[in-house]
Amino acid sequence: MDQWILVTFPEVRDVLVDDTVCGTTNKVMMVQLGTHKITLGGAQNYVSPPMPVTVYNTTQQKPMVLVFTLA
Amino acid sequence: MKKTIVVSALALLIVAGCAYVPINPPLTHPSDLKTGYRWATTTIPKRTSNTLVILTFSGGGTRAAGLSYGVLKQLDATPMPDQRKLLDYVDVISSVSGGSFASMDYGMRGRQMLADFESKFLQVPVQKMLIHEAFFNPKNVLKLLFDPNFHRIDVATQVYADVLFGTATYDTLLQQQRANDRPFIIANATELEIGSRFEWTQDQFDPICSDMSPIAVAHAVAASSDFPVALPPVILKKYDASTCKYQTPSWLPIARENDAYNNPLRPRYATELEAYLDPQRTFLHTLDGGIADNIGLRGPLHALVSTDAFVQPQDEGRLTGMTFMPMISHAPGIRAIDRVLVIVVNAGASGGVKIDNTSREPKLPVVLGGVIGAPMDNYSFDSQQLLIQTFVPRIRTGVRYYPVMISFPMLRDKNLRDIVNNVGTSFDALTNEQLSGLKQAADVLVHQDPCFQQFIRDVNAQPTPPGSPICSSAPPLP
């Protein structure tokens, strides 16, 4: 079953799911049900929520929101 | 007396030359997603088409090969808006057993295969050749008797090489793919002890630290169609993970630790990969791909729902194992997919009364056929259902999905259904009637499928006429 996340960040960056580029910041994206390490591409100048994160019970309209901030 | 001496001398010569040499050499450099026959090295992820086309070819001897060939011909007769043919859009062909003869030959020779596959394979008595070479060719008979490292499957490999594949290797296949932008061919076998699919791709060979580039593709097709008991397994050497500095992908420990109950698919996949890495395992025994998945759908299905692969991504996450998720998600810098067409070619037969017309005890082969065949058929049906169940909830995602099911029970014409259902699953030559029936079945089944019809309408921006059959995962465009 597909799951959905929204990674928010002040900049446009690649979003990597378990080290694979799967989407962009600030856009809803599809991930596999389960637990993942979500990271951003480019400079490591950000603070992420605790990882890994388990994504479940989401929809495209109600994704899990992961707030990343500039370090 | 003289005969005995000659035979003994020949036997001694054979034994002297029978040191075990694995068919698969080690990977001597660190595992690298830029080399070898794998998803990341093909032109497929870099294509510009926003339509992903996946074909899967089932097992079933020349019946499956013939039906698969018929479907390829139909796609070659289907024009697309840019004047190319739908066949040119095929990205991946995942195949099993008899279907692997068609997929691999198309991967090697492209449209030339459509011109002569009938005369080179479908109407050639390959089964008789196998029996002749194994039991009546003195050279092979002696070798089989005295060389412990020469098996009947090696005879089969030689026959397949003679008939279709020659000395072509996976390096040749990659060159052909890149030069002609052909599909990525996945010949599927089964690892006997692990019980999992074994894909003949470098992504699968990385965990065993083996380089598949110099391996003849005939070996892969032999493994994919290696009928259990009748033929022994294709044996591969498994090298230590340190040989190629294999890096376990980062998803594995995370899924292993956390997802046993969230999503059991992931720890199961992790278990498979760990099994290949087990240092106690020094060889692999591969048999017919039909044991693990007789329609070749599970690999593409996995790539449609997961980014997990047997290789760690490189190049900042843009070089990966085969996954369609980033393309479907329109990930930046990656081919964007708006349509997914999956054509499942299943040559499984049905119907007919063979034992239920008598109270006599059925013969052992019939019983074994049922015991083995029923779970395979049921699993194949479940795989098809799983594909549809994956697609239907994605209707509102913006990407359109078209699952096309090519299988004999969907034929409405009973005469045609009887003809194709009665084609055997061996490698006997097809009669003209059988070949014609399989080609006709491919024609009918492709064009009557509502999702295929919807796909054609959508790519041509045509409206859906009232009363058109419904493709549940791709309703008419608003």
Side-chain angles (χ1 to χ4, degrees), chain B residues 4 16 18 34 53 83 145 148-149 162 171 178 194 256 263 288 317 413 417 441 454 468:
Chain B
T4 312
C18 70
K34 290 178 180 163
V53 181
Q83 307 306 316
L145 279 171
N149 297 311
D162 291 345
D171 193 35
R178 284 174 165 171
I194 300 171
R256 162 67 69 216
N263 183 355
D288 194 302
D413 178 342
R417 209 166 56 232
Q454 190 64 50
S468 296

Side-chain angles (χ1 to χ4, degrees), chain B residues 442-454:
Chain B
D443 182 356
V444 170
L445 289 167
V446 165
H447 293 100
Q448 78 174 21
D449 189 285
C451 288
F452 187 81
Q453 292 177 11
Q454 190 64 50

Side-chain angles (χ1 to χ4, degrees), chain B residues 165-184:
Chain B
F165 304 114
T167 56
T169 64
Y170 268 94
D171 193 35
T172 327
L173 184 64
L174 180 59
Q175 286 173 28
Q176 288 294 326
Q177 195 287 319
R178 284 174 165 171
N180 303 290
D181 197 25
R182 291 206 183 118
F184 181 46

Side-chain angles (χ1 to χ4, degrees), chain A residues 2 4 14 16-24 30-37 52 54 60, chain B residues 250 254 258-259 262-263 266 305-308 312-313 316-318 326 329 331-332 394 396-397:
Chain A
D2 300 323
W4 301 86
D14 292 351
L16 283 73
V17 177
D18 303 324
D19 297 323
T20 295
V21 175
C22 284
T24 309
M30 190 164 63
V31 299
Q32 184 181 17
L33 171 66
T35 309
H36 303 283
K37 178 184 72 171
T54 301
Q60 195 173 9
Chain B
S250 58
I254 297 170
N258 300 283
D259 285 345
N262 298 326
N263 183 355
R266 299 188 83 209
V305 301
S306 176
T307 54
D308 299 343
Q312 171 64 9
E316 297 189 332
R318 286 196 164 74
S329 297
R394 290 184 176 182
R396 291 177 193 85
T397 62

Side-chain angles (χ1 to χ4, degrees), chain B residues 130-177:
Chain B
L130 290 171
I131 291 166
H132 178 268
E133 288 299 312
F135 297 106
F136 301 104
N137 179 333
K139 184 182 142 205
N140 287 334
V141 171
L142 281 173
K143 223 173 162 196
L144 286 167
L145 279 171
F146 296 107
D147 182 346
N149 297 311
F150 188 75
H151 308 286
R152 290 191 307 282
I153 189 65
D154 299 308
V155 177
T157 304
Q158 189 55 54
V159 169
Y160 304 153
D162 291 345
V163 169
L164 272 184
F165 304 114
T167 56
T169 64
Y170 268 94
D171 193 35
T172 327
L173 184 64
L174 180 59
Q175 286 173 28
Q176 288 294 326
Q177 195 287 319

Side-chain angles (χ1 to χ4, degrees), chain B residues 235-428:
Chain B
I235 296 172
L236 297 171
K237 172 93 177 110
K238 185 229 154 187
Y239 301 92
D240 189 81
S242 63
T243 314
C244 64
K245 299 185 175 63
Y246 174 74
Q247 190 183 355
T248 305
S250 58
W251 64 265
L252 189 146
I254 297 170
R256 162 67 69 216
E257 179 69 23
N258 300 283
D259 285 345
Y261 298 98
N262 298 326
N263 183 355
L265 179 70
R266 299 188 83 209
R268 182 183 164 89
Y269 197 52
T271 302
E272 279 182 24
L273 177 49
E274 286 163 347
Y276 287 111
L277 298 172
D278 187 337
Q280 284 191 47
R281 176 165 280 112
T282 51
F283 292 94
L284 302 182
H285 296 77
T286 63
L287 278 172
D288 194 302
I291 301 165
D293 167 19
N294 198 38
I295 55 174
L297 181 56
R298 291 286 168 155
L301 194 50
H302 182 87
L304 281 161
V305 301
S306 176
T307 54
D308 299 343
F310 278 10
V311 288
Q312 171 64 9
Q314 296 173 354
D315 197 16
E316 297 189 332
R318 286 196 164 74
L319 276 183
T320 65
M322 188 173 83
T323 173
F324 309 133
M325 289 274 276
M327 302 195 297
I328 293 165
S329 297
H330 291 195
I334 293 184
R335 177 181 168 191
I337 295 297
D338 296 315
R339 292 189 193 93
V340 179
L341 172 67
V342 182
I343 302 180
V344 179
V345 183
N346 183 357
S350 60
V353 178
K354 295 183 182 80
I355 57 172
D356 285 351
N357 54 357
T358 172
S359 63
R360 278 194 302 246
E361 183 181 336
K363 291 183 176 150
L364 186 62
V366 178
V367 175
L368 285 177
V371 168
I372 295 165
M376 279 170 63
D377 290 345
N378 292 340
Y379 186 72
S380 296
F381 184 77
D382 282 356
S383 299
Q384 292 176 214
Q385 284 297 101
L386 191 54
L387 182 73
I388 294 167
Q389 286 165 5
T390 300
F391 285 173
V392 169
R394 290 184 176 182
I395 286 174
R396 291 177 193 85
T397 62
V399 175
R400 294 176 68 74
Y401 294 88
Y402 309 85
V404 174
M405 303 301 173
I406 307 293
S407 66
F408 299 149
M410 282 146 172
L411 286 170
R412 296 184 180 108
D413 178 342
K414 187 178 180 308
N415 287 336
L416 182 57
R417 209 166 56 232
D418 286 345
I419 290 170
V420 292
N421 272 328
N422 285 324
V423 181
T425 56
S426 67
F427 289 122
D428 285 330

